[in-house]
Amino acid sequence: MNGLALKKRWRRCWVGDLGFRSGFGGLGFEMVSGNIFHCKKHSWPPEEYISRATLHLLDFDSASPPEHAWRRRLNSHANLLREFSVTFREAVKMIRLGLRLWSYVREEASHGRKAPIDPFTRESCKPSASQGVPLGGMGSGSITRGFRGDFRQMQIIPGLCEPSPIMANQFSIFISRDGGNKKYASVLAPGQHEGLRKPDDHGISSWGWNLSGQHSTYHALFPRAWTIYDGEPDPELKISCRQISPFIPHNYRDSSLPVAVFVYTLVNTGKERAKVSLLFTWAISLRAKDNPPVTFAIAACETQNVDVSVLPSFGLTEQSHITAKDMWGKMAQDGHFDRDNFHAGPSIVSSPGDALCAAVSASTWVEPHGKCTVAFSLAWSSPKVKFLKGSSYNRRYTKFYGTSERSALNLAHDALINYKRWEEEIEDWQNPILNDKRLPEWYKFTLFNELYFLVAGGTIWTESHLPAKEEESNWVSNHDRSVKVETTAARIKPAKMNGKHNIVVKHDQINQQGPENNCEDVGRFLYLEGIEYIMWCTYDVHFYASFALLALFPKIEMSIQRDFAKAVLCEDGRKVKFLAEGNYGIRKARGAVPHDLGTHDPWHEMNAYNIHDTSKWKDLNPKFVLQIYRDFAATGDMSFALDVWPSVRAAMEYMEQFDRDDDGLVENDGFPDQTYDAWTVHGISAYCGCLWLAALEAAAAMAHRLGDKGFEEWCKSKFLKAKPVFEGKLWNGSYFNYDSGSSSNSRSIQADQLAGQWYIASSGLPPLFDDFKIKSALQKIYDFNVMRVRGGRMGAVNGMHPNGKVDESCMQSREIWTGVTYGVAATMILAGMEEQAFATAEGIFTAGWSEEGYGYWFQTPEGWTTDGHYRSLIYMRPLSIWAMQWALSLPKAILEAPGINMMDRLHTSPLDFRAGYGDTSRFRKSASRRSWFGNQVFQCTCK
């Protein structure tokens, strides 16, 4: 868009600023060909929710909802969710763990810290089936907007989540017709909320909560959402609200921005012209302590047809200078605020228990049968991330907008300028999948909507690897205001708001900078295991979720991998009490892949998880090797491969200690020493053993490509020795037994038994087993774990006895894990079993996302029981649905890579490990310029 066109289109932007001061390069893909899908379609055509006439009227400027979207009516009942409970037998088994965990939670609380796992504290707001598409990009905090229009699930401060809806944060509409005989005033959300029917209230109960929602619908296709008001509240006005956030694959600039845009399209079907005023209200409502400040900004765009006015401050109590009731009355009478408000002075001082609010209004006349567009934006800025026991870091977006309080204003303004470009890039990314007629309808929109977690999953994206300078503070602007923060009962009350709540931006100030896609340093990225499990980048779960990052933001994925590679070569000798057994050990052993990157001091104090000693887990190291090879194979990044190769070798060497009978296989130690951390394993296990075989193959392939011949031969030797042992001890003719022990569940059918084969196939390597065994095991899983649980409408249960009864040996064996089910489906696709794959994954959609399900949309839990009771909402692992898309569209680099046959005869005699590890002369020569054996590789950041 050139400057002249821009000038005509955008006259100016008014920005209402809530100056809250709290104390506190892409991969190339090819689709597989052929007739692959014959499973049932789960289609929700928009005309079943909106009349065809309305769809036709809104069919311009992206106002009409897409053909493929997740849909709900606004009057749908948002039922409360049902949390799982342990059985009496499970409670008895875990009583000692429960007591130790309770003591640990109390101890952490005494230090002002939240334990990473706390099953004892419950939020006052009970979770309900009311979530929607979250707002903003990645890593700068998030706010979710529920499908009925409320703003909830606010996560601005790391590790802290405010789940309750903030009912003062709303869009409202005021309509009058020529002649004054028709008037409407309503909040654009159904008034089915507690506390909204208080007589003589001066707060939000005085507003017009008149919308029934019967003729209004919500349509979600992350990162966008559409709310269509089909004749509500005015029967002659069609309204579309389009919500847009800058989540754009391979765009490492805009995808970090904490901002969202709301575009209202108004269509007047009446014979009289209508004056329409849209109102955006926002309240300060965060509660926190000793954290960096937060600034909110709300904005509306003024054009030739749209007039903008603001109210810098109003309150929710009778004592406020301007009350919420006063504000509503002014809008109902005039449809706008006073123009003098643009020059208002500083806001009033808040009183304890009061929440300060601000409002932006945009008014326009819509001619009979005419159309008009009104755009709002919401931005927030919390430039620094401060960890309780660690350093402060600047968030990624500060690289482009700085750390001053003004950044929220600039973000809100620029979003109104750039959102059309964002939409074009989003559509270019999504349309090839949405238009693929081979794909089931439900899969298309669920694939995109599960990405909500990369925004709402407590993500943090820092500007660089270095902490922010502690002496540098631009949190408070230095001209005429110094904001004081007061703390009352752990609730933060700003002493006053920023006095300048609006700005006029001149045309030459408009920031039209495009995405910075060529920046090599993308900083560091963290995301939580889940909002109930406060641990950053939990690696055994990242194993499943990482397909989404690798496909969409590969530089972020490899940044995480570099962090873990560095951690492998690190040891933290501080003593930790492990709660399951009550014994002590060191926090992190050298050579062991950490379970997570920490909680209160990430990157420096890892392994916040302290239920078990994860340095003894058998799945973390193989998962690290498999992910490293997959990422290398997909990107061909030789620099990455050389940097992490010492850690790959160290991780493989570390696993030698668990091969206690020298049969080439690692053995489990009779406790839950893997991601299923309540499910005991004895001897050789299908899960860990298969991962180990796959890691040997991947490490050999990587060694071959890097020229490390000695290590390649060692891996091949170990693989050829271990594979027949694994098959001999676990293969029973139709599937691999759970483990080689003699317990009651040793012959259980584990849904995840082929996790290693999944990764091998995803990386373009030869299969671990012959085709018959792979397909037989997957068919067994499908027939038993999937189809024998509610007819396949729940997903794949983790464990199933061969007699067709669910394995109830522990809570995890009887659970259906959403992310594991997607992973199993991906494995089936790679094995040519597409029909079973999509029937398996559809169970997760049916139980979690469909209208007949349990209401887990945009909060997909770790898992649920066979009766639908959830455990751990908003969880990382379901991102593995992108493993299905990966399987359908393997990168060209993987498809075109030369195969490496692991079954070839060894080129040299078998070497013992130390000889193989020491034979690096050829590899050293090829990598000498990188000095990868230098001391700097082994430096540790642990304290």
Side-chain angles (χ1 to χ4, degrees):
M1 183 183 295
N2 58 45
L4 179 62
L6 185 66
K7 183 174 181 180
K8 289 181 178 178
R9 181 162 194 162
W10 300 99
R11 290 177 55 201
R12 53 184 172 172
C13 289
W14 296 105
V15 180
D17 167 32
L18 281 71
F20 177 37
R21 317 302 304 167
S22 78
F24 36 15
L27 304 175
F29 293 87
E30 288 186 355
M31 289 292 293
V32 296
S33 60
N35 266 332
I36 58 177
F37 305 118
H38 304 285
C39 53
K40 179 182 63 176
K41 285 191 174 183
H42 222 311
S43 179
W44 294 343
E47 55 267 24
E48 291 184 8
Y49 289 75
I50 313 171
S51 68
R52 287 184 178 272
T54 300
L55 286 170
H56 178 72
L57 290 171
L58 295 173
D59 190 19
F60 73 102
D61 192 34
S62 300
S64 182
E67 179 183 356
H68 308 291
W70 179 88
R71 311 187 198 280
R72 281 294 179 278
R73 299 190 188 278
L74 264 60
N75 66 342
S76 297
H77 178 60
N79 57 292
L80 295 178
L81 306 182
R82 300 178 298 171
E83 190 171 10
F84 91 109
S85 58
V86 297
T87 64
F88 177 77
R89 184 176 67 174
E90 290 165 352
V92 170
K93 287 183 178 179
M94 296 190 293
I95 189 167
R96 290 187 176 88
L97 168 61
L99 291 172
R100 296 186 192 109
L101 183 57
W102 179 73
S103 177
Y104 172 69
V105 169
R106 291 187 60 191
E107 180 184 358
E108 287 293 283
S110 70
H111 295 290
R113 299 190 295 263
K114 182 176 176 60
I117 301 176
D118 179 5
F120 309 105
T121 305
R122 287 288 175 264
E123 298 286 351
S124 57
C125 174
K126 294 183 179 180
S128 63
S130 54
Q131 301 291 81
V133 173
L135 309 173
M138 298 188 297
S140 299
S142 70
I143 303 167
T144 291
R145 192 175 186 217
F147 77 87
R148 296 195 300 189
D150 50 17
F151 294 84
R152 54 174 59 232
Q153 208 74 32
M154 188 176 291
Q155 296 188 83
I156 308 294
I157 299 159
L160 295 179
C161 178
E162 298 282 354
S164 301
I166 302 157
M167 298 310 299
N169 297 352
Q170 294 289 349
F171 283 100
S172 302
I173 194 166
F174 303 83
I175 308 163
S176 61
R177 299 275 176 174
D178 278 352
N181 58 336
K182 295 180 182 178
K183 282 195 172 185
Y184 304 90
S186 180
V187 178
L188 287 175
Q192 305 166 359
H193 304 278
E194 295 180 5
L196 294 182
R197 295 175 179 85
K198 299 178 182 177
D200 301 323
D201 183 33
H202 288 263
I204 62 174
S205 291
S206 62
W207 296 357
W209 298 89
N210 306 316
L211 196 80
S212 72
Q214 181 180 359
H215 302 292
S216 302
T217 54
Y218 181 82
H219 312 256
L221 186 65
F222 178 89
R224 297 189 293 172
W226 291 253
T227 306
I228 307 299
Y229 305 90
D230 194 357
E232 286 190 283
D234 183 343
E236 296 180 334
L237 189 69
K238 311 297 184 182
I239 307 168
S240 167
C241 173
R242 188 164 85 258
Q243 171 187 315
I244 307 147
S245 292
F247 182 97
I248 306 166
H250 311 296
N251 183 332
Y252 294 89
R253 180 188 185 277
D254 293 350
S255 296
S256 72
L257 304 182
V259 69
V261 175
F262 305 89
V263 182
Y264 280 84
T265 301
L266 310 171
V267 181
N268 183 4
T269 63
K271 296 179 181 180
E272 301 170 317
R273 84 173 172 155
K275 182 183 180 182
V276 181
S277 297
L278 288 159
L279 173 70
F280 190 14
T281 53
W282 197 261
I284 296 171
S285 52
L286 285 180
R287 293 174 296 166
K289 182 180 180 182
D290 299 328
N291 283 283
V294 180
T295 303
F296 293 97
I298 56 177
C301 190
E302 185 169 88
T303 67
Q304 292 179 347
N305 301 319
V306 178
D307 293 319
V308 174
S309 59
V310 300
L311 182 62
S313 177
F314 68 92
L316 302 179
T317 65
E318 188 175 359
Q319 290 73 34
S320 304
H321 177 66
I322 301 176
T323 68
K325 185 176 183 179
D326 297 334
M327 183 277 300
W328 188 268
K330 175 70 173 175
M331 285 297 301
Q333 178 178 331
D334 301 334
H336 59 82
F337 300 116
D338 295 336
R339 299 292 293 186
D340 290 343
N341 289 347
F342 285 120
H343 310 291
S347 307
I348 61 173
V349 177
S350 65
S351 58
D354 191 17
L356 291 178
C357 310
V360 174
S361 170
S363 302
T364 185
W365 284 94
V366 188
E367 298 298 325
H369 308 292
K371 302 175 182 179
C372 187
T373 298
V374 179
F376 293 87
S377 63
L378 164 68
W380 56 95
S381 177
S382 180
K384 294 189 187 299
V385 173
K386 184 179 185 299
F387 296 105
L388 286 178
K389 295 168 68 176
S391 302
S392 296
Y393 298 85
N394 289 332
R395 296 192 194 253
R396 168 75 176 175
Y397 77 91
T398 65
K399 182 180 182 70
F400 317 107
Y401 282 87
T403 58
S404 76
E405 64 177 2
R406 185 180 174 84
S407 61
L409 304 173
N410 295 334
L411 282 159
H413 167 264
D414 290 355
L416 292 171
I417 304 301
N418 294 321
Y419 77 86
K420 284 187 173 292
R421 173 174 59 82
W422 295 344
E423 286 197 285
E424 289 174 0
E425 295 181 21
I426 291 168
E427 289 173 358
D428 288 345
W429 157 47
Q430 292 184 337
N431 283 343
I433 294 174
L434 296 176
N435 295 332
D436 190 338
K437 297 187 182 301
R438 303 172 303 162
L439 298 173
E441 302 301 306
W442 65 265
Y443 170 79
K444 295 177 183 180
F445 54 81
T446 308
L447 177 73
F448 293 111
N449 284 333
E450 287 284 19
L451 290 172
Y452 84 93
F453 188 85
L454 290 176
V455 173
T459 55
I460 294 174
W461 193 356
T462 67
E463 175 191 354
S464 70
H465 287 61
L466 300 176
K469 294 180 180 179
E470 296 298 332
E471 68 274 10
E472 176 189 345
S473 179
N474 292 320
W475 295 346
V476 179
S477 121
N478 59 10
H479 54 282
D480 88 5
R481 52 185 170 277
S482 175
V483 179
K484 180 180 179 182
V485 177
E486 298 176 352
T487 305
T488 303
R491 298 185 68 181
I492 304 306
K493 303 300 172 191
K496 69 175 184 179
M497 292 174 63
N498 187 334
K500 296 183 178 180
H501 299 291
N502 57 83
I503 58 172
V504 179
V505 183
K506 298 180 180 178
H507 305 303
D508 58 4
Q509 293 176 321
I510 291 172
N511 180 3
Q512 299 187 73
Q513 181 179 355
E516 182 178 286
N517 291 333
N518 296 322
C519 176
E520 285 301 318
D521 181 10
V522 297
R524 274 177 156 173
F525 189 85
L526 298 170
Y527 62 150
L528 292 176
E529 179 177 339
I531 62 167
E532 297 177 32
Y533 298 155
I534 313 298
M535 295 166 283
W536 300 111
C537 294
T538 299
Y539 201 73
D540 56 310
V541 184
H542 179 69
F543 176 76
Y544 298 82
S546 59
F547 283 91
L549 284 174
L550 180 58
L552 306 177
F553 297 95
K555 292 180 183 178
I556 291 179
E557 161 63 9
M558 290 194 286
S559 173
I560 294 173
Q561 297 291 56
R562 289 178 188 273
D563 284 338
F564 276 92
K566 188 175 183 180
V568 168
L569 303 175
C570 170
E571 180 166 300
D572 186 342
R574 287 173 289 184
K575 295 294 183 181
V576 174
K577 183 178 182 179
F578 300 113
L579 303 180
E581 296 82 19
N583 58 338
Y584 287 83
I586 66 172
R587 180 174 290 276
K588 163 73 173 65
R590 186 190 182 280
V593 174
H595 171 273
D596 56 80
L597 292 177
T599 292
H600 300 305
D601 189 10
W603 303 300
H604 300 284
E605 185 181 272
M606 294 168 286
N607 281 340
Y609 176 92
N610 61 350
I611 305 298
H612 300 289
D613 182 355
T614 59
S615 294
K616 297 179 181 178
W617 277 18
K618 310 308 185 293
D619 64 336
L620 288 169
N621 283 38
K623 286 176 174 176
F624 171 73
V625 174
L626 288 168
Q627 288 184 78
I628 289 289
Y629 181 78
R630 178 204 58 188
D631 296 354
F632 170 49
T635 64
D637 190 332
M638 187 62 70
S639 174
F640 168 76
L642 292 172
D643 286 343
V644 301
W645 182 240
S647 300
V648 171
R649 294 190 58 157
M652 296 296 289
E653 178 184 19
Y654 184 85
M655 294 298 290
E656 269 272 281
Q657 64 183 297
F658 303 123
D659 179 11
R660 297 184 176 87
D661 56 4
D662 196 32
D663 63 354
L665 281 172
V666 297
E667 285 86 37
N668 294 87
D669 286 325
F671 75 99
D673 49 356
Q674 25 80 38
T675 193
Y676 300 89
D677 58 351
W679 198 357
T680 299
V681 198
H682 299 276
I684 298 169
S685 73
Y687 185 68
C688 295
C690 187
L691 287 171
W692 173 241
L693 289 176
L696 287 169
E697 183 171 342
M702 192 167 180
H704 178 82
R705 294 182 67 174
L706 295 179
D708 192 347
K709 192 63 179 177
F711 191 69
E712 176 190 358
E713 293 298 309
W714 178 83
C715 289
K716 284 188 175 183
S717 175
K718 182 73 72 173
F719 178 89
L720 292 172
K721 185 177 184 180
K723 181 175 179 289
V725 177
F726 178 87
E727 293 185 305
K729 291 192 175 183
L730 296 181
W731 180 251
N732 62 24
S734 59
Y735 65 95
F736 294 99
N737 290 336
Y738 176 69
D739 65 27
S740 62
S742 56
S743 65
S744 60
N745 68 320
S746 289
R747 285 182 55 85
S748 286
I749 308 161
Q750 184 181 12
D752 219 359
Q753 62 185 268
L754 290 178
Q757 170 58 31
W758 167 34
Y759 254 73
I760 286 297
S762 297
S763 304
L765 291 172
L768 295 177
F769 316 107
D770 62 58
D771 187 62
F772 164 75
K773 289 178 180 174
I774 294 170
K775 289 188 174 181
S776 174
L778 290 172
Q779 188 64 47
K780 192 76 172 184
I781 293 165
Y782 178 75
D783 291 340
F784 279 70
N785 301 58
V786 177
M787 296 308 296
R788 295 202 180 190
V789 180
R790 302 288 179 93
R793 302 175 67 79
M794 296 286 291
V797 70
N798 284 336
M800 177 72 78
H801 289 297
N803 63 4
K805 294 183 178 180
V806 172
D807 182 346
E808 297 187 347
S809 56
C810 71
M811 69 177 191
Q812 291 177 343
S813 63
R814 63 182 173 91
E815 287 179 329
I816 295 159
W817 282 11
T818 53
V820 166
T821 299
Y822 287 142
V824 170
T827 313
M828 291 174 173
I829 292 172
L830 292 162
M833 301 170 62
E834 293 85 4
E835 185 172 343
Q836 294 94 324
F838 281 90
T840 295
E842 188 176 357
I844 301 301
F845 165 80
T846 301
W849 288 82
S850 74
E851 289 189 89
E852 63 193 82
Y854 299 103
Y856 297 128
W857 47 81
F858 300 103
Q859 53 188 333
T860 314
E862 158 73 309
W864 48 64
T865 58
T866 55
D867 57 1
H869 291 210
Y870 76 88
R871 181 169 62 81
S872 187
L873 292 172
I874 308 184
Y875 195 79
M876 180 198 295
R877 204 180 322 244
L879 284 171
S880 60
I881 191 174
W882 278 85
M884 296 177 65
Q885 191 61 24
W886 184 272
L888 292 167
S889 53
L890 289 173
K892 292 180 181 180
I894 289 178
L895 291 173
E896 297 172 359
I900 302 172
N901 190 351
M902 285 299 302
M903 303 312 294
D904 280 350
R905 295 174 57 186
L906 298 179
H907 296 289
T908 61
S909 59
L911 303 171
D912 65 33
F913 184 76
R914 288 179 176 81
Y917 192 82
D919 183 15
T920 60
S921 57
R922 177 182 172 189
F923 183 72
R924 279 175 180 263
K925 185 176 180 180
S926 65
S928 60
R929 286 184 296 176
R930 302 198 56 79
S931 300
W932 66 280
F933 274 114
N935 290 334
Q936 70 273 17
V937 171
F938 296 91
Q939 289 179 354
C940 176
T941 60
C942 295
K943 296 178 180 177

